[in-house]
Amino acid sequence: MSTPVKRRSSAQLDPATPTEGGATALESSLLHFLHQHHITAASLRHQTEKSKKEAIRAGNRVSVLLVDAVNGGVQESFLYQKQIEMEIRSLTTTINRFHKQTQQWLTASHSLNTAIKEIGDFENWIKVMEYDCKSITTAIRNIHQN
């Protein structure tokens, strides 16, 4: 930046009038405008930087709010997923228990069917034995009577 320029009175701003050190009023005005430009540019840079920081803060806040909004739904979905998984495990356990019970019932009914068949076979064998005994008894009577 340049050094500050002293303000001059309107009489001294005549472009043809030399000033201290040989500079004319025009040069002095140009230096003054240049100095004002630097001050304005610095002020604008400062304001731009301040606005940029505010925009970054606002952007960060918006992104945090968006992430929170999205995460809220994700978190709720995650909880539902955990509940569903627990229900699946519970149902799997129940299904396995029912499967074992059904297998036990099938084994018991098969054993009962086998026992009934054996009773039927035994009854049939008894009838065959009774018939054979009657046949033998009849044969012995016939032999004994002759």
Side-chain angles (χ1 to χ4, degrees), residues 2-146:
S2 64
T3 59
V5 175
K6 295 179 184 176
R7 293 197 147 230
R8 311 223 186 287
S9 68
S10 59
Q12 292 177 334
L13 292 179
D14 181 18
T17 313
T19 60
E20 325 166 345
T24 65
L26 182 61
E27 290 173 338
S28 176
S29 293
L30 288 176
L31 286 174
H32 175 71
F33 287 136
L34 183 62
H35 178 68
Q36 288 299 321
H37 170 73
H38 286 300
I39 291 172
T40 305
S43 174
L44 285 175
R45 275 194 302 274
H46 175 71
Q47 184 63 31
T48 302
E49 191 64 31
K50 183 178 174 184
S51 296
K52 179 181 169 184
K53 287 179 183 178
E54 287 177 14
I56 289 172
R57 271 189 246 117
N60 285 338
R61 180 69 181 145
V62 166
S63 67
V64 165
L65 291 174
L66 287 174
V67 167
D68 287 346
V70 170
N71 281 345
V74 169
Q75 185 177 9
E76 188 175 332
S77 297
F78 182 73
L79 290 175
Y80 287 146
Q81 180 184 359
K82 289 295 182 184
Q83 288 175 346
I84 289 170
E85 287 174 357
M86 286 176 27
E87 287 293 325
I88 288 171
R89 284 188 210 112
S90 174
L91 288 173
T92 302
T93 302
T94 304
I95 288 170
N96 287 335
R97 189 179 71 229
F98 285 155
H99 180 72
K100 287 178 184 177
Q101 190 174 18
T102 304
Q103 288 300 323
Q104 290 173 348
W105 289 346
L106 285 174
T107 302
S109 70
H110 181 68
S111 297
L112 183 62
N113 284 340
T114 303
I116 291 172
K117 284 181 186 177
E118 288 176 0
I119 289 172
D121 289 345
F122 181 72
E123 190 178 339
N124 189 34
W125 181 75
I126 292 289
K127 286 180 183 178
V128 169
M129 289 301 286
E130 186 179 3
Y131 177 76
D132 286 346
C133 286
K134 284 182 183 179
S135 295
I136 292 172
T137 304
T138 305
I140 290 177
R141 274 192 202 156
N142 284 342
I143 292 176
H144 186 37
Q145 289 178 358
N146 285 350

